[in-house]
């Protein structure tokens, strides 16, 4: 029997790309979303619809999901992975960086949920996987605005889980510690970037994105009556 459609946001790099590769190798058709279409297409995955979508554009997000469903059938899961970590001190960080993280990390997740949830509720099945963070459970230096968005992901996911549990829809939060990806490169404060790199090194290095993809796939592949509510994983050497 053919496997159902899964949506992966931010699939062009890091955790999203590793997840797309793994789920594709497991036989799933995919909808891959991100702003750099070439990064999605470079993955060259079979039965993968690649669309240049900014997930803060609610209508474009929903339209891409409809297009994928017309091609591959109903969405069985979404991995709301697209996100940005713009570290900074609140006294001097540009407020537009807070806006960007809140729009992407919080509203982008809500838009993803809205694009798939009505269909999942109607079918009485489906899985929503939101990528949170260890920084969605505890605080770190220079992370004030970022932790606000990741704590929000954890809170929204748990509340949503309660809302849809009786309808048979699963909500999973996957919360990684430091992972070696492009994420840090978007922080504009050079000194903060260097401190973060030194912190990662002192912990013996960060996780490989594939380890997070494996955790996502593990949660997804449980029988539908089993919800892995949260997975927190980090490099063994990461103390914080
Ligand atoms: P990356 O920067 O490699 O991946 C983020 C992805 O999101 C990119 O592919 C980017 O593609 C996409 N993206 C960014 N903005 C948008 C947007 N507006 N619309 C659509 N896609 C967008 O980092 P990671 O793989 O590390 O990050 C993935 C998730 O993991 C994030 O939510 C992050 O917060 C979380 N996380 C990461 C950790 C880490 O240490 N790396 C630790 C804990 C959590 P494009 O630019 O083409 O749009």
């Amino acid at each position: 029997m053919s496997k159902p459609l899964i949506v992966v946001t931010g699939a062009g790099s890091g955790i999203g790309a590793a997840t797309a590769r793994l789920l594709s190798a497991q036989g799933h058709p995919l909808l891959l979303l991100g702003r750099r279409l070439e990064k999605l297409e470079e993955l060259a995955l079979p039965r993968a619809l690649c669309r240049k979508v900014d997930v803060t554009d609610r209508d474009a997000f929903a339209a891409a999901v409809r297009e994928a469903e017309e091609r591959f059938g109903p969405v069985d899961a979404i991995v709301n992975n697209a996100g940005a970590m713009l570290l900074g001190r609140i006294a001097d960080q540009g407020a537009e960086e807070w806006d960007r993280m809140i729009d992407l990390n919080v509203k982008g997740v809500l838009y993803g949920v809205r694009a798939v949830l009505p269909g999942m509720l109607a079918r009485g099945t489906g899985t929503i996987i939101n990528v949170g963070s260890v920084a969605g459970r505890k605080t770190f230096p220079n992370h004030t605005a970022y932790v606000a968005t990741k704590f929000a992901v954890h809170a929204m996911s748990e509340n949503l889980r309660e809302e849809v549990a009786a309808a048979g829809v699963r909500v999973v939060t996957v919360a990684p510690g430091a992972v070696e990806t492009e994420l840090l490169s978007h922080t504009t404060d050079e000194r903060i970037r260097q401190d973060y790199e030194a912190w990662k090194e002192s912990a013996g290095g960060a996780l490989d994105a594939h380890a997070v993809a494996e955790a996502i796939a593990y949660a997804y592949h449980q029988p539908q009556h089993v919800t892995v509510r949260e997975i927190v994983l980090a490099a063994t050497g990461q103390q914080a």
Side-chain angles (χ1 to χ4, degrees):
M1 212 176 72
S2 72
K3 303 256 176 93
L5 171 65
I6 300 178
V7 181
V8 181
T9 71
S13 63
I15 295 167
T19 302
R21 282 197 196 93
L22 181 58
L23 294 172
S24 178
Q26 292 169 344
H28 290 274
L30 300 172
L31 170 62
L32 305 180
L33 302 178
R35 294 165 308 167
R36 291 167 298 172
L37 184 60
E38 68 283 3
K39 298 283 287 179
L40 305 173
E41 289 176 340
E42 267 169 29
L43 294 172
L45 299 174
R47 300 173 75 219
L49 181 66
C50 301
R51 286 293 175 260
K52 177 182 166 67
V53 167
D54 182 327
V55 297
T56 67
D57 180 340
R58 193 169 61 228
D59 293 338
F61 200 161
V65 169
R66 278 197 303 275
E67 184 189 358
E69 290 192 311
E70 277 161 23
R71 189 173 304 189
F72 297 122
V75 173
D76 192 45
I78 186 168
V79 184
N80 281 310
N81 162 76
M85 179 180 77
L86 307 171
L87 303 181
R89 288 169 297 269
I90 294 303
D92 57 29
Q93 183 175 28
E96 68 285 350
E97 295 194 348
W98 310 339
D99 294 343
R100 214 186 120 207
M101 286 191 285
I102 291 166
D103 285 349
L104 172 57
N105 300 0
V106 181
K107 291 162 78 178
V109 171
L110 284 172
Y111 296 163
V113 169
R114 176 62 73 80
V116 301
L117 187 58
M120 289 179 176
L121 292 175
R123 292 186 296 278
T125 190
T127 304
I128 292 168
I129 300 175
N130 296 330
V131 178
S133 175
V134 171
R137 299 164 50 87
K138 63 199 291 291
T139 58
F140 290 87
N142 305 315
H143 277 55
T144 302
Y146 182 67
V147 297
T149 67
K150 288 297 176 178
F151 271 67
V153 170
H154 284 243
M156 293 190 308
S157 302
E158 175 58 9
N159 219 131
L160 178 65
R161 190 192 59 72
E162 293 163 6
E163 186 178 318
V164 301
V169 176
R170 306 184 296 182
V171 181
V172 177
T173 311
V174 174
V179 187
E180 208 50 69
T181 68
E182 292 180 6
L183 194 73
L184 180 64
S185 67
H186 305 292
T187 285
T188 49
D189 186 311
E190 174 65 27
R191 181 67 202 269
I192 291 178
R193 273 208 312 270
Q194 284 172 4
D195 288 350
Y196 191 94
E197 286 291 0
W199 169 73
K200 270 197 314 199
E201 224 166 280
S202 72
L207 282 182
D208 185 89
H210 185 70
V212 185
E214 289 281 2
I216 289 169
Y218 168 79
Y220 173 66
H221 290 303
Q222 297 307 303
Q224 187 66 26
H225 67 279
V226 176
T227 294
V228 177
R229 295 185 183 183
E230 187 176 30
I231 297 179
V232 185
L233 72 163
T236 303
Q238 180 178 329
Q239 286 180 328

